[in-house]
């Protein structure tokens, strides 16, 4: 993704000139325009490279937005994609050489950024940060997990519902006739960090990482995760908010397509397996002014007062925040008290049972950051990162007190102790209710709009909460068929 940007920096070309030069040098035959819908999935359309002109980067390209999830009705469906030339790269998965461009969305009449474009929200969040003069850069480092399965089947009809997952790594296959069964299948919650052959997907993840590096993503580490059946994690290096969100979209695209090249299927669904660990996206974040890290100080765990107030904002707004960072009904099957994910709204150094952890790997001020451990990768990354930043900034501006740290295993709290610690909402519906009431922090600087938040709440309630509520669950037959 950084190919055109790096070329522009080294050659003195403008970003547009560098993008066009990349297309020529790589003999691009097609140009792919990628943009994100409201739930957070990339959409795209493609045109012949011969039609790519410099003016297109300013004029944009018209398309019909009426069928894009969560966007306007058909009477206001004309939209413009405006490609960002700094995101130009060659798509690693197309059959013919294809230049890929990530786009923002504009209204074709006003030429203003479209209020429901998630990428536009991230751009406004960065602009708002500058206007506050609190910092000039917000860095984010998500740690996204995922599963790679060998087979997935699911069906929903009026008279039946089913899903079936299979993986050669799945512990449930330890007794299967695989002709031959070679064993080495991680136990449930036993996948952290075995070497091959137990980690059967090492080379697969390495190919994912190498593809990411080739596309300009800085990768720090990859490994097998706790779950059986192919749970993995690839961590990318922290970077500014908008760049981070663009890279995470590309990250998911690469993980899914490399898996498919090997006849496998990857998912970022938060909780695909019962009684094993779900998939999270612990998110590291910090504020900087130039080359000065603003979260380093002399307070608790080496934090500054700004960092503690930022934590205060995350904790205070977490009930509403989770409507964006954990935005699926399935998310709340991972966020269950006493299980693997942190639900206690408290902070602590080194402590992975708190929803906000302060890593203590290094005494360097540049490493000082906070880690919000609730999010999962089913989120719309642009909205999730922007919402976390807005909650933290509100905490700084309102000087919110995060309270005393809890330096103990929060999974083992007594009932009395647990009663004094606030927890995340238990369902998507409850998080949406909180968002409906606590949204002013998101509206600051017109970063989010009431229209976008209302559209988000309506979409999630109608298409997901109600859709699940209306359908019988297979386990209900085991519970209630003989009543």
């Amino acid at each position: 993704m950084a190919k055109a940007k790096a070329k522009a920096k080294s050659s003195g070309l403008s970003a547009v000139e560098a993008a066009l030069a990349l297309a020529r040098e790589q003999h691009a035959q097609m140009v792919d325009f990628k943009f994100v819908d409201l739930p957070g999935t990339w959409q795209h359309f493609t045109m012949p490279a011969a039609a790519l002109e410099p003016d297109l980067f300013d004029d944009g390209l018209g398309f019909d937005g009426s069928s894009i999830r969560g966007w306007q009705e058909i009477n206001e469906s004309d939209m413009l994609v405006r490609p960002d030339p700094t995101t130009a790269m060659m798509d690693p998965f197309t059959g013919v050489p294809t230049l890929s461009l990530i786009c923002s969305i504009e209204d074709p009449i006003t030429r203003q950024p479209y209020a429901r474009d998630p990428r536009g929200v991230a751009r406004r969040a960065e602009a708002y940060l500058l206007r506050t003069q609190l910092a000039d850069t917000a860095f984010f480092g998500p740690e996204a997990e995922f599963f790679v399965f060998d087979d997935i089947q699911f069906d929903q009809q009026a008279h039946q519902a089913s899903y079936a997952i299979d993986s050669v790594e799945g512990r449930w296959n330890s007794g299967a006739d695989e002709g031959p069964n070679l064993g080495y299948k991680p136990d449930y919650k036993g996948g952290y960090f075995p070497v091959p052959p137990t980690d059967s997907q090492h080379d697969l993840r390495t190919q994912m990482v190498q593809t990411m590096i080739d596309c300009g993503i800085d990768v720090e580490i990859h490994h097998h995760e706790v779950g059986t059946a192919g749970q993995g994690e690839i961590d990318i290096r922290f970077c500014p908010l908008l760049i981070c969100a663009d890279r995470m979209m590309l990250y998911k695209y690469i993980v899914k397509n490399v898996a498919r090249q090997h006849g496998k299927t990857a998912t970022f669904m938060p909780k695909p397996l019962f009684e094993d660990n779900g998939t999270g996206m612990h998110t590291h974040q910090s504020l900087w002014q130039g080359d000065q890290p603003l979260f380093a100080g002399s307070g608790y765990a080496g934090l500054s007062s700004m960092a503690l107030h930022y934590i205060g904002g995350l904790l205070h707004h977490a009930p509403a925040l989770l409507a964006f960072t954990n935005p699926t009904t399935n998310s709340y099957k991972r966020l269950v008290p006493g299980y693997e994910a942190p639900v206690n709204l408290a902070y602590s150094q080194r402590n992975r049972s708190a929803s906000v952890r302060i890593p203590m790997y290094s005494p360097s001020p540049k490493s000082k950051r906070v880690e919000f451990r609730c999010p999962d990768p089913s989120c719309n990354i642009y909205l999730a990162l922007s919402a976390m930043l807005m909650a933290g900034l509100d905490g700084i501006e309102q000087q919110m007190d995060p309270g005393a740290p809890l330096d103990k295993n929060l999974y083992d709290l007594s009932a009395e102790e647990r009663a004094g610690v606030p927890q995340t909402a238990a369902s998507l519906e409850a998080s949406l209710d909180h968002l409906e009431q606590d949204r002013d922090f998101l509206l600051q600087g017109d970063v989010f709009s009431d229209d976008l938040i209302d559209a988000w709440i309506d979409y999630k309630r109608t298409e997901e909460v109600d859709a699940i509520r209306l359908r019988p669950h297979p386990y209900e037959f085991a519970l209630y068929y003989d009543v």
Side-chain angles (χ1 to χ4, degrees):
M1 184 169 60
K3 300 292 187 182
K5 189 173 183 180
K7 183 178 181 65
K9 185 175 181 180
S10 63
S11 65
L13 297 176
S14 71
V16 171
E17 291 170 336
L20 296 173
L22 179 64
R24 289 193 302 270
E25 291 167 4
Q26 298 297 319
H27 306 290
Q29 298 178 34
M30 293 287 163
V31 181
D32 198 54
F33 301 91
K34 296 179 174 70
F35 59 97
V36 65
D37 63 11
L38 191 63
T41 301
W42 255 353
Q43 309 295 320
H44 79 133
F45 58 86
T46 311
M47 75 176 194
L52 182 63
E53 299 288 345
D55 290 348
L56 188 145
F57 290 92
D58 288 324
D59 297 341
L61 193 64
F63 75 104
D64 177 7
S66 62
S67 296
I68 305 301
R69 296 181 299 173
W71 283 15
Q72 297 286 43
E73 300 297 331
I74 196 167
N75 60 309
E76 295 181 331
S77 59
D78 287 352
M79 298 283 177
L80 289 177
V81 293
R82 186 170 181 181
D84 183 342
T86 68
T87 66
M89 53 162 271
M90 298 304 294
D91 193 302
F93 301 109
T94 53
V96 302
T98 300
L99 184 75
S100 173
L101 293 163
I102 301 176
C103 305
S104 296
I105 308 300
E106 291 184 356
D107 184 294
I109 297 175
T110 66
R111 295 305 306 263
Q112 294 299 306
Y114 177 44
R116 293 189 190 179
D117 172 27
R119 193 169 190 266
V121 173
R123 294 171 71 97
R124 292 193 293 276
E126 289 191 322
Y128 175 69
L129 174 63
L130 287 175
R131 292 200 301 275
T132 66
Q133 299 185 337
L134 294 171
D136 59 22
T137 309
F139 284 106
F140 288 86
E143 297 178 347
E145 300 166 351
F146 52 88
F147 277 92
V148 177
F149 298 131
D150 290 292
D151 190 65
I152 176 66
Q153 301 175 47
F154 52 89
D155 187 37
Q156 176 70 55
Q157 305 291 339
H159 68 295
Q160 65 181 25
S162 64
Y163 74 88
I165 293 168
D166 204 8
S167 166
V168 71
E169 247 199 30
R171 187 67 172 188
W172 58 84
N173 278 322
S174 60
D177 181 4
E178 295 180 338
N181 188 324
L182 300 178
Y184 295 108
K185 303 179 190 300
D187 200 356
Y188 298 102
K189 299 180 182 290
Y192 202 79
F193 293 152
V195 298
T198 304
D199 179 4
S200 68
Q201 295 181 358
H202 171 82
D203 287 342
L204 179 69
R205 292 194 311 275
T206 296
Q207 184 179 336
M208 293 171 180
V209 167
Q210 191 58 58
T211 306
M212 291 179 189
I213 293 170
D214 292 343
C215 291
I217 298 176
D218 297 323
V219 178
E220 292 192 329
I221 194 172
H222 78 81
H223 58 82
H224 202 289
E225 255 298 335
V226 175
T228 191
Q231 188 180 36
E233 177 177 317
I234 300 172
D235 297 342
I236 69 172
R237 183 170 174 78
F238 67 89
C239 48
L241 190 155
L242 180 62
I243 294 174
C244 181
D246 285 344
R247 287 181 177 178
M248 284 305 300
M249 295 300 297
L250 180 57
Y251 172 113
K252 295 174 79 170
Y253 182 69
I254 290 170
V255 167
K256 292 176 181 179
N257 279 283
V258 170
R260 188 175 180 86
Q261 287 178 334
H262 289 262
K264 298 179 183 292
T265 177
T267 181
F268 292 86
M269 184 177 175
K271 191 73 172 181
L273 296 179
F274 174 55
E275 291 190 325
D276 207 340
N277 274 30
T279 291
M281 189 184 73
H282 309 148
T283 305
H284 298 254
Q285 42 208 289
S286 62
L287 298 180
W288 288 58
Q289 188 72 42
D291 60 357
Q292 294 300 311
L294 302 180
F295 277 10
S298 57
Y300 172 80
L303 294 178
S304 65
S305 58
M306 172 185 279
L308 290 168
H309 293 318
Y310 189 99
I311 291 171
L314 287 175
L315 296 177
H316 177 79
H317 293 297
L321 193 57
L322 263 63
F324 287 114
T325 62
N326 303 75
T328 67
T329 58
N330 186 253
S331 298
Y332 296 83
K333 292 176 171 59
R334 169 180 167 264
L335 292 173
V336 177
Y339 286 81
E340 85 269 11
V343 299
N344 297 290
L345 296 178
Y347 72 102
S348 180
Q349 62 182 5
R350 304 177 62 187
N351 189 347
R352 285 172 168 79
S353 64
S355 59
V356 175
R357 181 178 77 98
I358 299 94
M360 300 297 290
Y361 297 122
S362 169
S364 170
K366 293 185 176 182
S367 72
K368 196 55 62 179
R369 60 199 187 274
V370 302
E371 176 195 20
F372 191 40
R373 295 179 59 80
C374 295
D376 68 59
S378 69
C379 67
N380 182 319
I381 191 66
Y382 297 98
L383 301 181
L385 297 186
S386 299
M388 284 186 270
L389 175 62
M390 296 302 288
L393 292 179
D394 193 52
I396 295 170
E397 292 177 321
Q398 304 298 327
Q399 296 192 335
M400 292 181 180
D401 183 0
L406 287 178
D407 294 326
K408 59 175 66 177
N409 186 346
L410 302 184
Y411 296 138
D412 292 337
L413 293 179
S414 67
E416 183 179 357
E417 289 175 312
R418 194 160 51 246
V421 181
Q423 294 190 336
T424 61
S427 68
L428 175 58
E429 184 175 18
S431 291
L432 293 170
D433 289 343
H434 284 292
L435 176 61
E436 200 161 41
Q437 300 301 317
D438 180 21
R439 61 169 68 184
D440 287 350
F441 72 100
L442 298 168
L443 301 176
Q444 298 300 310
D446 297 322
V447 173
F448 287 74
S449 66
D450 278 315
D451 173 73
L452 184 148
I453 295 171
D454 289 339
W456 180 265
I457 292 172
D458 180 68
Y459 182 90
K460 288 290 174 178
R461 283 178 173 162
T462 303
E463 300 297 327
E464 299 180 30
V465 173
D466 288 347
I468 293 296
R469 185 185 0 242
L470 289 170
R471 287 167 170 79
H473 189 285
Y475 192 60
E476 289 178 314
F477 287 85
L479 290 173
Y480 306 127
Y481 189 75
D482 61 351
V483 296

